[in-house]
Amino acid sequence: MQRILVLGAGFAGLWSALGAARELDELGAAARAEVMVVNATGYHSIRVRNYEADLDVTRVPLGEVLDPAGVRWIVGAVQDIDTAAREVEVQENGARRKLRYDRLVLALGSRLVHPPIPGLADYAFDVDTYEGARRLERHLAGLAERADEPGAWTVLVVGAGLTGIELACELPGRLRKIAGAAHADKVRVLLADRSAVIAQAMGGAQPVIAQALGALGVETLPGTSVLEADAQGVRLTDGRRIEAATLAWCGGMRAHPLMEKIPAPRDALGRVQVDEFMRVQGVPGVFAAGDCAHALVDGAHESVMSCQHGRPMGRYAGHNAAADLMGAPLLPLRIDWYTTILDLGPWGAVYTEGWDRKLADQGQSAKRTKRLINGQRIYPPRNGNRADIYAAAAPVIQAPPPMLAGSAEVADA
Ligand SMILES: Cc1cc2nc3c(=O)[nH]c(=O)nc-3n(C[C@H](O)[C@H](O)[C@H](O)COP(=O)(O)OP(=O)(O)OC[C@H]3O[C@@H](n4cnc5c(N)ncnc54)[C@H](O)[C@@H]3O)c2cc1C
């Protein structure tokens, strides 16, 4: 029995595994090769929703999707990857074991970057992972007990990339709910970023984001970061002290550190470079997808650390790993569109098209598109039907998310 081993079951890994299982089935080779997934938890985390208030809906049990698809999976932490020996070392139930592979798909994703700012590791919260988002949720729920401390109802979000903006827009409403009538007027949310203009890179969306932040009462601190943090607050790079019971760090992502074990070229974000077939350059039998891989998605533009790219990269990586193993032709990935749909909390959302981010939609109609994406589009089929799951894993590129101006069809999705 040959083995396609997939490391990670996020957007890239889950879809790699399903894409590989589908292709083996299509080639009539399911009895000759198995697809096996190693993931740190028993869940497919819809990581993009970690800024939202309801985290219960953000995890899909792996067995719900992988079992009907005939994919074997284990919960374990990958410790080492040896591409010369074609082996991966995994910590599983307190014991280490080695797993051999015939084809390997790297899909271990990325991690929030933590620079060595004093106090950051001890006092900052984040929404990078489900566990991190739960920790923030517990902390916010406990603020009522510290209600009268200075800065109890102040949150400083640092980093105004997409994650920081989405979190900052959610927090005023969430905090006011926790604070209740007695303290709601003390709620303060600040958003700091090193760049001179908040959301500078967001093209046509930038003024919309500024408008939404203003309407939601989020104070912005451009050209500012954190110098040091403690349990009561932070000192900013401009020398100011802010009393804040909550510091949320959203300072950017870097590819999983195990990518350093792969003897292949890496980019500035630590991602291994792959060709249009998702093959890691110069390392036979190894494919990569999602945040740990750097691809040119249309021959010119670099893949973005996003589920928008991670899911199709995964489907193609899995498909091609199976095709390669069975001597079938590989399929090149080509995505000729790029969109950004950013949640702006109760204000709505903003939708941009193209790499230069032309404004396409905003407000509540863009929010309907965002709800469709977060609530439906990026989930795998959950009906246990193998044919549906394989159909969703086919190596094809979806159309861009629809614009739903005037439509009520997914208002509650
Ligand atoms: C709050 C937030 C909002 C976001 N919003 C958007 C958005 O609106 N649109 C968008 O396109 N993208 C968004 N992103 C980015 C998106 O979530 C990532 O780009 C995407 O998750 C990458 O998919 P991936 O499969 O490469 O990595 P991940 O989804 O991170 O999956 C990696 C998997 O590997 C597993 N793993 C890690 N280390 C190990 C190990 N040692 N052993 C075993 N398993 C391991 C993890 O448990 C996980 O299951 C957002 C991210 C965050 C945090």
Side-chain angles (χ1 to χ4, degrees):
M1 189 69 147
Q2 294 186 295
R3 177 182 289 157
I4 299 167
L5 185 60
V6 179
L7 307 183
F11 292 108
L14 184 92
W15 290 104
S16 291
L18 297 175
R22 178 196 167 280
E23 174 64 355
L24 288 178
D25 181 68
E26 191 124 306
L27 296 172
R32 281 185 281 142
E34 69 167 3
V35 181
M36 183 178 188
V37 174
V38 184
N39 194 55
T41 72
Y43 296 91
H44 171 62
S45 169
I46 306 293
R47 186 179 171 199
V48 302
R49 301 191 73 175
N50 285 344
Y51 68 92
E52 294 185 27
D54 182 4
L55 296 172
D56 289 344
V57 296
T58 69
R59 290 200 307 174
V60 178
L62 289 182
E64 209 176 287
V65 187
L66 296 182
D67 291 349
V71 173
R72 202 173 145 198
W73 56 277
I74 62 169
V75 174
V78 177
Q79 304 288 325
D80 198 9
I81 303 167
D82 183 343
T83 54
R86 294 200 173 211
E87 276 178 353
V88 171
E89 190 172 308
V90 174
Q91 177 95 16
E92 187 194 7
N93 290 328
R96 287 203 176 209
R97 71 189 267 213
K98 287 193 173 163
L99 298 170
R100 54 148 198 92
Y101 66 80
D102 296 287
R103 295 292 180 277
L104 180 68
V105 183
L106 303 167
L108 291 171
S110 60
R111 289 183 179 178
L112 181 64
V113 175
H114 278 102
I117 295 171
L120 195 68
D122 293 324
Y123 300 109
F125 293 86
D126 65 69
V127 290
D128 193 44
T129 59
Y130 171 82
E131 293 76 18
R134 280 285 187 213
R135 205 175 133 248
L136 174 64
E137 178 186 56
R138 283 194 297 275
H139 168 82
L140 295 178
L143 288 176
E145 285 159 29
R146 306 167 56 177
D148 295 318
E149 285 176 24
W153 300 105
T154 302
V155 180
L156 172 64
V157 179
V158 184
L162 305 185
T163 305
I165 293 169
E166 291 192 323
L167 181 63
C169 288
E170 281 286 314
L171 282 173
R174 269 176 82 177
L175 277 172
R176 273 197 283 273
K177 227 182 208 170
I178 297 165
H183 302 287
D185 58 339
K186 296 182 198 144
V187 165
R188 213 180 150 200
V189 177
L190 302 101
L191 177 61
D193 195 277
R194 281 184 305 200
S195 62
V197 177
I198 296 287
Q200 201 160 22
M202 287 303 294
Q206 195 280 331
V208 179
I209 294 166
Q211 189 190 344
L213 289 170
L216 293 166
V218 176
E219 298 167 50
T220 53
L221 303 173
T224 315
S225 189
V226 177
L227 207 56
E228 57 189 16
D230 56 51
Q232 282 77 42
V234 300
R235 197 149 64 83
L236 300 174
T237 45
D238 63 9
R240 261 183 298 171
R241 164 96 193 161
I242 302 228
E243 301 302 323
T246 313
L247 168 64
W249 179 252
C250 299
M253 303 189 290
R254 186 172 172 82
H256 196 287
L258 277 170
M259 291 311 101
E260 287 163 24
K261 297 280 181 167
I262 310 301
R266 285 186 296 278
D267 73 355
L269 297 173
R271 305 183 293 180
V272 289
Q273 285 182 0
V274 296
D275 65 12
E276 71 267 45
F277 303 109
M278 305 297 107
R279 290 181 299 203
V280 177
Q281 290 176 24
V283 192
V286 181
F287 296 72
D291 285 7
C292 67
H294 168 284
L296 294 180
V297 291
D298 55 3
H301 293 100
E302 295 176 4
S303 54
V304 176
M305 284 187 172
S306 63
C307 72
Q308 180 178 164
H309 286 159
R311 292 164 62 251
M313 286 169 84
R315 291 196 298 269
Y316 278 73
H319 175 93
N320 286 338
D324 193 38
L325 188 61
M326 295 299 150
L330 309 195
L331 291 175
L333 174 77
R334 192 171 175 95
I335 307 173
D336 59 10
W337 56 267
Y338 179 66
T339 60
T340 308
I341 297 108
L342 186 67
D343 204 340
L344 298 172
W347 188 88
V350 61
Y351 186 143
T352 67
E353 287 177 320
W355 291 93
D356 53 352
R357 295 192 161 130
K358 281 199 186 65
L359 181 61
D361 196 8
Q362 59 178 301
Q364 290 305 317
S365 66
K367 182 86 172 191
R368 283 196 284 276
T369 302
K370 185 69 179 178
R371 285 205 185 104
L372 174 71
I373 295 168
N374 277 13
Q376 294 176 25
R377 183 176 160 106
I378 59 178
Y379 278 76
R382 301 184 67 177
N383 58 4
N385 183 303
R386 178 177 288 207
D388 288 351
I389 295 169
Y390 281 175
V396 290
I397 301 301
Q398 283 176 294
M403 272 181 243
L404 296 167
S407 158
E409 94 194 67
V410 291
D412 299 316

